[in-house]
Structures are given as structure tokens and as C-alpha cells.
Amino acid sequence: MSTEKPKIIIYKESLAQSLISDLATFGLILLCIYVSQGSAWWTFVTGCMFLLFVVIRAAYLTKSETHLRFNSLDEMRKWLDKQEAEHEH
């Protein structure tokens, strides 16, 4: 690939996968917040868990395996044509 910035980025994770993953994580964090009411220690732990989630999620989304980068529409069309040809066989 060239060194110029990509113009089109396609994420491989579906919206449903992303929502399920985020809901499960935030559900756990919300449960911890509910349980931690009145406790400074558990509030601190829950805050750390949330920050850890944000960092891990950001790192996951920047990994090259999670998305495809194209520098032009022609490059994307070639990839799409190749995918279509592979799925026809």
C-alpha cells in the first residue's frame, strides 16, 4: 500500500457484534456501579474498569485486522469484485 492516507475505511465488525460487545461490557460496569453505591473503593474500581474498556476498545479499533483501507473507489471496487468472485465458487 502507498504511504498516502486512505480515503475509505471499512470496519469488519458488524453493528450487531459491536452493540452486543459494548452492551455486555457496559452492563457489567453498570452492575458494578449499582453494587458500589456508598463505597469509594468500588467506585474507584468501577471507574478504572471503564477507562480500561475505553483504552482496549480504541486499541481494538485501530488494529489493522479490524478494518480495510482503500485509497480510491477503484481500489475498493477491485476488492469487492474479488470478494464476489470468491463467493460465487
Side-chain angles (χ1 to χ4, degrees):
M1 259 179 122
S2 66
T3 58
E4 69 182 76
K5 285 190 166 187
K7 296 178 179 143
I8 301 166
I9 299 175
I10 298 175
Y11 286 93
K12 294 180 183 178
E13 183 177 61
S14 73
L15 181 61
Q17 289 172 322
S18 179
L19 286 175
I20 290 169
S21 171
D22 292 348
L23 285 174
T25 303
F26 283 122
L28 177 63
I29 292 172
L30 286 173
L31 177 65
C32 289
I33 290 171
Y34 178 74
V35 170
S36 73
Q37 291 177 355
S39 170
W41 168 250
W42 283 111
T43 302
F44 172 75
V45 169
T46 303
C48 289
M49 287 173 57
F50 175 74
L51 292 175
L52 184 64
F53 165 77
V54 169
V55 169
I56 290 171
R57 188 74 176 151
Y60 172 75
L61 290 174
T62 58
K63 287 174 58 176
S64 62
E65 297 91 37
T66 61
H67 55 274
L68 302 168
R69 296 172 182 254
F70 302 102
N71 293 316
S72 68
L73 284 174
D74 289 335
E75 187 178 335
M76 187 175 80
R77 280 189 195 108
K78 288 178 188 175
W79 179 81
L80 287 171
D81 290 342
K82 181 180 173 189
Q83 295 300 311
E84 183 179 20
E86 288 177 5
H87 289 299
E88 286 179 355
H89 297 295

